[in-house]
Amino acid sequence: MANDPFVEMVGKTARVDLPLSDFQPVPQLRVAAHEIERPAWPAIDAHAHLDSIPLAELWPILDASGVERIVNISLAKGAELDEAIRRARPAPPERYRLFVLADWTPLARGESVRAITDELERRVEQGARGLKVWKDLGLTARDARGALLRVDDERLAPLFEKAGELQIPVMLHIGDPAAFFQPIDPRNERYEELAAHPEWSFYGPEFPTWEELLDAQERVIARHPRVRFLGAHVGGAAEDLARAAAMLERCPNLALDFSARAAELGRQPRTARAFFLRYADRILFGSDLLPSPAMYRLYYRFLETEDEYFPYPTHESGQGRWRIYGLGLPKDVLKKIYRTNAETWLGW
Ligand SMILES: [Zn+2]
């Protein structure tokens, strides 16, 4: 570091005390920009959370965005889930699917996993078509003794087997961005996001590491070869596509979505493009953001154009201080990613 010319320059002449939040540089680049209003193929958004959106408001947004079908991963439990299911009843099944969340609280109360598998069975009878396992598994959910539930805890095996028996896919969101497992300090590449949401940090001895979570996730997928798994957010490995590729190679029953990870993928466009071409049959389109035409258009620009250095679709607090580059994927690959992979992997 001592001989780094940038560090020397900053140290000698250019040091300024500008609050990071006030630093809002406007790129002076003049490069081609393509606004893609509709996707190359009618899209299936395989990862959305719609509990807060009235259905009547949803369809015009999807129609304006070229999204033909959507998967609502409900985060509701108990009576709230009853209500969500009731509200979703008028949704046309050819456009809308409901996934339900695994709720681990019976285990914290000392009940067996049977309570969770029974609940899943009941929800599937009510119309649910997928199970979501969220990052609370491995990071915060505890058993009756107060011990963290491990992702690959053998006691949970009957739940995954039940999903296989019911012929529904299991979406896993295990872990989180790698930066969330690092200290919240000036070296953290998602400092501003973590400063806004310190509760998103999983740094510290009370948490497993990012690598431990990914390894445990892979053991679960390998343990249930007849269950179809969907790894949300590039299987948790968007910062390390070699790791994601190794997961796909070792687990033929796994497909990935890249919801909420355009930021990660779009800053490594050559590596990401090669990954998308190599695993074109195993990648599903999903947004994980509040549906809006502007949000979807950023995803389309990312997938379809070779535009350079543009904003990524994100939530309000942003992800990191960088911009992205388009992948310029060929039309046949876009068809798989926008829709046919979802048809295959969701059985839709
Ligand atoms: Zn999500």
Side-chain angles (χ1 to χ4, degrees):
M1 286 296 273
N3 294 323
D4 185 321
F6 177 74
V7 170
E8 280 180 19
M9 182 270 287
V10 169
K12 276 181 193 150
T13 60
R15 184 165 185 101
V16 286
D17 290 310
L18 176 69
L20 182 56
S21 52
D22 287 353
F23 184 55
Q24 302 292 341
V26 177
Q28 296 301 313
L29 263 184
R30 295 187 186 186
V31 288
H34 302 85
E35 293 301 333
I36 308 290
E37 301 215 341
R38 303 180 73 81
W41 303 91
I44 300 176
D45 183 346
H47 188 143
H49 304 286
L50 306 173
D51 287 338
S52 63
I53 305 167
L55 283 180
E57 286 172 29
L58 179 67
W59 307 123
I61 296 170
L62 298 187
D63 291 342
S65 310
V67 176
E68 183 187 279
R69 304 181 229 174
I70 195 159
V71 176
N72 175 22
I73 300 159
S74 178
L75 303 177
K77 300 170 182 177
E80 278 179 22
L81 181 55
D82 292 335
E83 174 60 17
I85 289 173
R86 196 190 56 73
R87 268 187 285 119
R89 208 154 280 146
E94 67 277 11
R95 290 201 78 178
Y96 179 94
R97 282 216 163 164
L98 178 76
F99 278 32
V100 290
L101 193 65
D103 175 5
W104 312 111
T105 48
L107 299 180
R109 288 196 300 259
E111 294 170 44
S112 86
V113 72
R114 182 70 195 272
I116 305 173
T117 58
D118 286 352
E119 168 74 357
L120 177 63
E121 217 164 1
R122 195 165 75 85
R123 296 307 184 181
V124 168
E125 272 164 27
Q126 292 174 335
R129 302 302 296 271
L131 173 69
K132 172 75 177 280
V133 170
W134 195 53
K135 66 182 173 186
D136 58 339
L137 181 62
L139 286 170
T140 56
R142 292 175 186 277
D143 69 13
R145 294 197 328 266
L148 264 187
L149 283 175
R150 286 200 340 273
V151 172
D152 58 344
D153 192 316
E154 283 290 338
R155 288 174 291 179
L156 309 183
L159 177 63
F160 298 106
E161 285 302 302
K162 177 58 76 177
E165 196 183 294
L166 295 167
Q167 297 188 311
I168 57 167
V170 178
M171 182 181 282
L172 298 172
H173 169 175
I174 297 301
D176 243 356
F180 291 9
F181 294 82
Q182 299 294 321
I184 308 178
D185 68 13
R187 292 168 53 88
N188 194 305
E189 66 175 0
R190 292 169 79 145
Y191 181 86
E192 287 168 294
E193 184 184 23
L194 286 166
H197 300 279
E199 73 280 10
W200 292 357
S201 172
F202 301 112
Y203 172 71
E206 66 273 40
F207 297 112
T209 65
W210 192 69
E211 288 79 7
E212 285 166 348
L213 288 167
L214 292 189
D215 287 348
Q217 168 175 256
E218 203 176 313
R219 285 194 291 275
V220 172
I221 298 166
R223 192 178 68 192
H224 303 279
R226 282 184 304 277
V227 180
R228 269 171 296 144
F229 286 96
L230 306 168
H233 317 309
V234 196
E239 294 91 335
D240 184 353
L241 292 181
R243 180 76 175 80
M247 258 193 283
L248 288 170
E249 293 291 341
R250 289 191 286 253
C251 304
N253 54 329
L254 172 69
L256 307 176
D257 80 38
F258 57 97
S259 64
R261 293 298 180 273
E264 298 301 336
L265 299 171
R267 63 172 171 161
Q268 45 174 332
R270 285 182 285 274
T271 303
R273 187 174 198 276
F275 180 81
F276 273 63
L277 295 181
R278 173 106 176 78
Y279 298 104
D281 295 317
R282 314 275 297 273
I283 300 174
L284 277 62
F285 173 63
S287 64
D288 196 30
L289 293 169
L290 208 60
S292 80
M295 178 277 285
Y296 282 120
R297 280 168 197 165
L298 283 177
Y299 272 110
Y300 307 155
R301 192 176 179 193
F302 164 62
L303 291 171
E304 297 188 31
T305 78
E306 293 182 341
D307 285 0
E308 300 173 294
Y309 205 69
F310 55 94
Y312 51 78
T314 186
H315 52 80
E316 211 166 87
S317 47
Q319 288 167 264
R321 280 194 171 241
W322 60 80
R323 294 190 172 208
I324 63 168
Y325 305 82
L327 301 186
L329 294 174
K331 243 192 145 184
D332 58 325
V333 171
L334 289 170
K335 186 175 188 180
K336 294 176 177 188
I337 286 166
Y338 277 134
R339 55 185 290 124
T340 54
N341 291 344
E343 291 177 332
T344 305
W345 284 85
L346 307 179
W348 194 357

